[in-house]
Amino acid sequence: MPLTAISSMSSPTPPSRYPDLPVPRAQSVSEFEVVQRKTPYTPNKPRRRGSDPEYDSQAAYRAAITAIISAKARPFAVSGRVPMDPTHLTLFFRSKSAIAYALDFPIDVDVDMPPALDMLISSCLPHPTMNGYAENETLFYPPTLPLTATLELANHPILDAVRNTLFPALPVGHYLTAIRDKLEIWPKGNGVTVQSRPLDNRVATILVTLPVNPDGAEERFYGRGGKGGDLEWTAFLSDCDYEIQPVRSGCRMTISYAVQVKSFGPAGIQPDPLISPSDQFLDMLSPVLNLSRGRTIAFYLTGEYGVNPGEVLAESLVPNLKGGDSVVYHALKLYKLAPELRWTAGGYIWPVDQTVEIVTENPDSPTASVGRGSLSGSSKSSRGMPPIRGPFGSASSEPGEDETDDIRQKVVKSGAIPLAGTDIQILSDHVTFPGVISREKVPFVSGMGDMEKLVVNVLLVVYVP
């Protein structure tokens, strides 16, 4: 039955005797009632397009382009080959009975089954699965037993290929390291096994297929090309699931490596530095920290980093610290302190969250503001750093008194504060002060309209509780 809508048109009604009550609706023939029939909505059926081969070809072409652009935007797996002669590969392991074995490659189990391979398989444990255990269980070598191979990833540019493909945006100062994870064996006839994701802090996994004749076995991501006899490897991100297709004959052996991100500083994706100061250096630093309790101390950095302090914060140098600067920084981190890097020049110091931005007050100058992303460059001047409360240094010449006052005003307006007004105590050798220290350059326009560069140093500041 179709839906209906009812509307009414009524004539005026006489006033009610009871004004406090609502006016009653008079039921009389003077009130018209109209019933409107509403036709139910029926959507138009789409027209049927005839089969057009050219249209279908263009649609498939566009779909293929969309798929390849999406895959290019975020690659999650990459494969390759290790240019290594399989006869140079040997696997050393120790069985549960504490007997050491050496397994030489390549292996063809259909022709000859090496006794060492039998012992390796007997020492392995089965992989648990969601549905219990397969008829032919997939095996892994216990991580508690010693295992090593003559294959070293460091001798091949595999990690460089993984970084360039899967981690192209990895920050500067961060590096990939590979740690051997486990050895896995897929015997003949095993079912498809979906591997569970590891719970460690890896960012990717590398699988290296050992030269055993795995007829019919393949990964979901398999390599193409390369010379015969090379070792195949596949790398994929840690948030990927992978599986091995059933092995029809022989067996399959793989060694997996956990790829982790390391850095030379605490800033970045995963703060975990690669270096650690020596015990001798820590023994020399310990009395300095003990005698500096309750004070804020600072060290001058000595490396040259080639940055513009008007464009970047001093803290951005942390991943790139080198030499003694890196050793001191990480030694302070070992003592659970919180060191920070700050710009300093001419007895002034900038806050940790500010750059050295020198603004020119002359409105007629063609360059009204220089510092943040305007100019770049450096000078090879070898002048030493002036005393901490002395005049400012210039990359071209020593400024006069008037010019020093002009630079001082610019520095104060950029947010710097006098070092004398802080509680920071700079530690340095009083004989060679200031010695060789970092000298970065900030371009600015002088009061005479000349382009000059202000010499800025870096302080490593830390409070010792």
Side-chain angles (χ1 to χ4, degrees):
M1 178 179 180
L3 298 176
T4 59
I6 302 177
S7 63
S8 62
M9 296 177 291
S10 60
S11 60
T13 57
S16 174
R17 299 183 188 178
Y18 310 97
D20 296 336
L21 298 178
V23 178
R25 295 177 60 88
Q27 300 294 332
S28 64
V29 293
S30 61
E31 184 174 312
F32 299 98
E33 185 178 43
V34 180
V35 178
Q36 296 179 348
R37 183 181 182 88
K38 186 176 181 180
T39 305
Y41 171 75
T42 303
N44 296 328
K45 295 182 179 180
R47 292 185 177 182
R48 204 161 193 177
R49 176 185 291 271
S51 177
D52 187 352
E54 184 177 356
Y55 174 82
D56 296 341
S57 176
Q58 290 295 329
Y61 183 58
R62 288 194 296 268
I65 293 177
T66 302
I68 192 63
I69 294 299
S70 177
K72 176 180 176 295
R74 188 179 183 272
F76 59 89
V78 62
S79 299
R81 292 177 180 269
V82 180
M84 177 181 179
D85 188 352
T87 58
H88 296 165
L89 179 62
T90 303
L91 184 69
F92 300 95
F93 66 95
R94 191 173 66 188
S95 64
K96 299 177 182 179
S97 58
I99 300 177
Y101 293 88
L103 182 60
D104 296 326
F105 292 90
I107 300 175
D108 189 350
V109 296
D110 293 335
V111 177
D112 183 20
M113 187 70 168
L117 181 57
D118 285 333
M119 186 57 62
L120 178 65
I121 295 177
S122 63
S123 302
C124 292
L125 300 176
H127 269 301
T129 60
M130 300 276 300
N131 302 323
Y133 295 95
E135 179 180 355
N136 293 281
E137 302 161 337
T138 59
L139 309 173
F140 69 96
Y141 190 76
T144 56
L145 297 179
L147 173 72
T148 187
T150 55
L151 172 65
E152 292 292 341
L153 292 188
N155 297 333
H156 308 282
I158 296 179
L159 289 179
D160 289 342
V162 172
R163 174 170 184 158
N164 294 336
T165 306
L166 303 184
F167 305 97
L170 196 64
V172 177
H174 292 73
Y175 305 89
L176 298 181
T177 60
I179 302 175
R180 189 177 65 247
D181 186 15
K182 55 187 174 181
L183 170 72
E184 296 177 290
I185 301 177
W186 281 262
K188 174 184 176 181
N190 72 294
V192 177
T193 303
V194 178
Q195 303 297 314
S196 59
R197 298 182 183 180
L199 302 178
D200 52 14
N201 59 346
R202 71 180 64 188
V203 295
T205 300
I206 298 177
L207 288 181
V208 178
T209 303
L210 301 182
V212 186
N213 57 339
D215 184 16
E218 64 177 2
E219 300 103 334
R220 286 297 187 187
F221 318 108
Y222 51 88
R224 296 179 181 272
K227 300 179 180 179
D230 293 345
L231 305 183
E232 292 188 356
W233 63 268
T234 299
F236 48 88
L237 297 177
S238 58
D239 56 354
C240 292
D241 296 323
Y242 76 96
E243 59 186 23
I244 303 295
Q245 295 298 310
V247 180
R248 292 191 293 268
S249 66
C251 69
R252 185 182 189 86
M253 297 178 59
T254 61
I255 297 181
S256 61
Y257 296 83
V259 180
Q260 298 180 353
V261 176
K262 299 287 184 178
S263 71
F264 283 119
I269 302 175
Q270 295 181 352
D272 191 4
L274 288 173
I275 68 173
S276 178
S278 64
D279 293 339
Q280 182 182 5
F281 185 85
L282 295 176
D283 293 340
M284 291 187 293
L285 180 62
S286 179
V288 175
L289 298 180
N290 290 331
L291 297 175
S292 303
R293 290 188 178 275
R295 302 179 185 177
T296 300
I297 59 177
F299 298 89
Y300 275 114
L301 297 192
T302 58
E304 294 293 339
Y305 298 97
V307 298
N308 185 352
E311 298 177 349
V312 298
L313 298 174
E315 276 288 292
S316 64
L317 301 178
V318 171
N320 301 320
L321 290 179
K322 51 190 176 182
D325 300 338
S326 178
V327 174
V328 173
Y329 191 95
H330 289 91
L332 295 175
K333 296 294 291 185
L334 287 179
Y335 283 104
K336 306 300 181 181
L337 300 179
E340 60 185 22
L341 302 183
R342 300 170 66 174
W343 299 119
T344 180
Y348 286 80
I349 187 170
W350 279 261
V352 67
D353 58 347
Q354 288 190 12
T355 59
V356 184
E357 186 173 9
I358 307 298
V359 180
T360 303
E361 297 179 354
N362 184 8
D364 298 332
S365 176
T367 307
S369 177
V370 179
R372 186 180 297 276
S374 306
L375 299 172
S376 62
S378 61
S379 173
K380 298 299 183 181
S381 174
S382 60
R383 297 180 180 270
M385 169 67 185
I388 197 67
R389 291 178 176 83
F392 290 89
S394 173
S396 58
S397 62
E398 291 296 336
E401 183 178 353
D402 295 338
E403 186 179 356
T404 300
D405 294 338
D406 180 65
I407 297 177
R408 181 178 292 107
Q409 292 178 5
K410 290 180 172 59
V411 167
V412 172
K413 289 185 177 181
S414 68
I417 59 177
L419 261 171
T422 66
D423 57 351
I424 299 177
Q425 178 182 355
I426 299 179
L427 305 183
S428 62
D429 190 352
H430 67 281
V431 177
T432 61
F433 176 81
V436 179
I437 58 178
S438 302
R439 294 167 54 86
E440 310 301 334
K441 317 297 190 304
V442 179
F444 72 98
V445 179
S446 66
M448 302 300 294
D450 298 329
M451 184 63 65
E452 296 186 356
K453 296 177 182 179
L454 177 66
V455 177
V456 180
N457 312 115
V458 191
L459 279 180
L460 193 159
V461 184
V462 63
Y463 173 73
V464 183

